[in-house]
Amino acid sequence: MISFVKRFLIALIIIAVLYALNLAMSKEGLFGFGVPLYQVDLWKMAGINIILAVSLNLINGFTGQFSIGHIGFMAVGAYSSTFMTVYYTQGLEQWLAGILGASVAAAIVFALVIIIGALAAAVAGLIVGIPTLRLRGDYLAIATLGFAEIIRIVITNMNKIGGATGFRGCVDPITNITCSDPSLGRLTIPAYTNFFWIGFLAVITIVVIYNIVNSDMGRALISIREDELAAQAMGVNTTRYKVTSFVISSAFAGVAGALYGHWRLPHPNDFTFVRSFEIIIMIVLGGMGSITGAVLGALVITFVPEVLRMLPGGVYNYRLVIYALLLIIIMITRPQGILGNYEIASWLKRARKRPEGGGAIGGSTGAPIAEQSDSTKKSEKELENR
C-alpha cells in the first residue's frame, strides 16, 4: 500500500513538472518566463529521440538482435495516425468539443490516433518480425533495412497521403491535389503535439521498457542475447520472445511517429535509412543494454551538433568534422558505450561505495579485551582446551 502511494505521488510530481515545463515552452510562457522557440524544438526532438532509442534498445541491446529498420515503424505510426486525424476524426472532435470543450476533445482525439499509430506499427512489426527474426546477424539487419525502404517507397507513391511532397492535409481523390472542400477531410494536420505529450510518453516508454527488462520476460530476452542456443536448451521459446520484443519496440516507434507527424508533418525524406543509423548510434554511444544509456545517447546526438554551431569564427565550418571526431574518440575510449551495460543509478552506487582496504594502515584501534562479547571468550576457551 505504501509502495502504491509512493508511486502515485511520484507520478503526480512528474505530471506536474511536465505541465510546468510545457507552459514554460509555450508562447505565453510560465509567469512571464519562456523558452526560445529554437530550444523548444530541440527538446521536443530530444524527447522523440529518447522514445526511439529506448524502444530500439529493447530489441538491439537486451535481445541481441540487430535491427536497423526502426525508422520504418516510425513512418508507419506517423502516416497512419495523421491519416486518421485528417480523414476520420474531424466530426468526432467537433462532437466532443460541444460536450467537453475544445481542448479536452483535441486531447482525446490525439490520444486515439496515437494508439492507432502504435497499433499499426505493432502489426507491421509482427508481419516483419515473424519471418525475419529467424534470421541472425547481418541477414536480419539487411531484412529490416529493406522493410524500412519498402515502407518509404510505398508512402512516396501514395497520393492519398501526399506522396513525394509530404502529407499536409486532405487530398482530393479526383485531382490528387490538396482539397478545398472541408467535408472531404481536414485541410491541414492539426499540431496536437506539445512538450507535455512528448515528455509524458517518453516517461511511459522508459517505465514500460524498464519493467519488461526486470521481469521474467526480460531475463529470457537477456538469455537469448547471451547465448541463443543455450536459452533454447533451457526451454526458452526464443522465436516467441524475439517477436514479442520486436512488436513492443515497433509499437513505441509508432508512438514516436505519431508525435512527430502531428508536429513537423510527415514527409518521406524524414524516414530515410540515414535516420535509422542515427538511432543506432544513439544506443551504441550510450551503451547497448542500458536504458539510461539510451537516454543519454539520444540527448548527446540531439544536442551536440547544435552546440557545435556556436563555435567561433572559421572553426564553425568544421563542426561536422569535429562532431565525427568526437564520436570516434568516444568509441575508441569507450567501445562498450558511455555507460556500457550499467544504469546511471548503479554508477552512482559504485561511486559512493568505499573501496576495500582504503583505510589507513593501523587506523583501526581494535576492541579492548574487556569489551569482547561472552561468545567470543567462550570460543577462545574451547580452543585452549583442545
Side-chain angles (χ1 to χ4, degrees):
M1 185 65 183
I2 294 175
S3 177
F4 172 77
V5 172
K6 185 179 177 182
R7 291 177 182 176
F8 182 72
L9 289 175
I10 291 173
L12 284 181
I13 291 171
I14 290 173
I15 290 173
V17 170
L18 288 174
Y19 185 74
L21 289 174
N22 185 54
L23 287 178
M25 293 186 181
S26 64
K27 292 180 181 177
E28 295 77 15
L30 179 63
F31 302 121
F33 295 97
V35 180
L37 186 60
Y38 172 67
Q39 295 181 15
V40 171
D41 284 353
L42 278 181
W43 281 107
K44 285 181 178 178
M45 183 54 73
I48 290 175
N49 284 339
I50 287 172
I51 296 174
L52 291 169
V54 172
S55 58
L56 181 62
N57 211 15
L58 180 65
I59 184 73
N60 280 28
F62 292 104
T63 314
Q65 307 303 305
F66 191 49
S67 167
I68 52 178
H70 212 50
I71 199 67
F73 302 111
M74 182 186 179
V76 171
Y79 275 93
S80 59
S81 61
T82 50
F83 179 82
M84 293 299 295
T85 300
V86 168
Y87 291 107
Y88 294 103
T89 61
Q90 189 172 10
L92 174 64
E93 185 172 346
Q94 290 173 351
W95 177 69
L96 288 173
I99 301 172
L100 303 171
S103 57
V104 176
I108 293 173
V109 168
F110 190 35
L112 286 174
V113 296
I114 288 175
I115 293 170
I116 290 170
L119 290 175
V123 171
L126 181 65
I127 295 170
V128 175
I130 290 175
T132 59
L133 285 174
R134 297 181 185 278
L135 305 173
R136 294 179 185 176
D138 299 341
Y139 302 105
L140 175 62
I142 294 169
T144 51
L145 179 62
F147 161 75
E149 281 300 292
I150 290 170
I151 289 293
R152 192 177 64 82
I153 292 169
V154 169
I155 288 170
T156 304
N157 290 281
M158 290 182 70
N159 293 325
K160 186 77 173 177
I161 52 176
T165 59
F167 196 23
R168 297 289 181 269
C170 79
V171 177
D172 193 306
I174 300 173
T175 60
N176 282 334
I177 60 173
T178 303
C179 56
S180 56
D181 184 2
S183 64
L184 297 176
R186 297 178 196 259
L187 303 181
T188 58
I189 300 173
Y192 289 136
T193 301
N194 56 30
F195 184 78
F196 178 83
W197 279 102
I198 294 175
F200 179 71
L201 291 171
V203 171
I204 293 291
T205 305
I206 293 170
V207 170
V208 170
I209 300 297
Y210 175 83
N211 285 329
I212 289 174
V213 170
N214 290 280
S215 66
D216 291 342
M217 179 183 171
R219 284 183 279 277
L221 297 179
I222 293 171
S223 71
I224 293 170
R225 179 189 67 186
E226 297 300 323
D227 193 327
E228 188 170 343
L229 287 176
Q232 279 181 332
M234 294 301 293
V236 175
N237 189 336
T238 57
T239 302
R240 192 187 73 181
Y241 278 111
K242 285 194 292 185
V243 171
T244 304
S245 67
F246 200 71
V247 170
I248 294 170
S249 176
S250 304
F252 280 110
V255 170
L259 292 170
Y260 186 84
H262 290 84
W263 170 40
R264 286 282 180 89
L265 310 182
H267 190 284
N269 290 343
D270 296 332
F271 307 105
T272 61
F273 68 92
V274 176
R275 183 81 169 116
S276 272
F277 287 113
E278 195 174 276
I279 304 168
I280 291 174
I281 291 172
M282 292 174 195
I283 61 174
V284 172
L285 184 70
M288 295 178 75
S290 169
I291 295 173
T292 48
V295 174
L296 183 61
L299 294 175
V300 169
I301 295 298
T302 305
F303 286 103
V304 167
E306 303 305 321
V307 171
L308 292 177
R309 291 178 186 273
M310 302 176 188
L311 291 174
V315 183
Y316 166 81
N317 296 325
Y318 298 98
R319 66 188 188 283
L320 294 179
V321 177
I322 296 170
Y323 175 62
L325 284 175
L326 286 174
L327 294 180
I328 292 171
I329 291 170
I330 292 174
M331 284 293 95
I332 290 174
T333 54
R334 292 286 300 174
Q336 69 275 38
I338 297 173
L339 294 182
N341 288 329
Y342 294 98
E343 303 294 346
I344 288 179
S346 61
W347 274 76
L348 294 175
K349 286 180 182 177
R350 290 176 66 188
R352 289 176 184 172
K353 185 179 179 182
R354 177 182 292 179
E356 294 182 2
I361 298 174
S364 175
T365 55
I369 297 174
E371 295 180 6
Q372 291 182 1
S373 63
D374 294 338
S375 60
T376 306
K377 292 177 181 178
K378 286 179 181 178
S379 61
E380 288 178 350
K381 285 181 180 179
E382 288 176 357
L383 289 172
E384 288 176 1
N385 293 331
R386 291 177 185 175

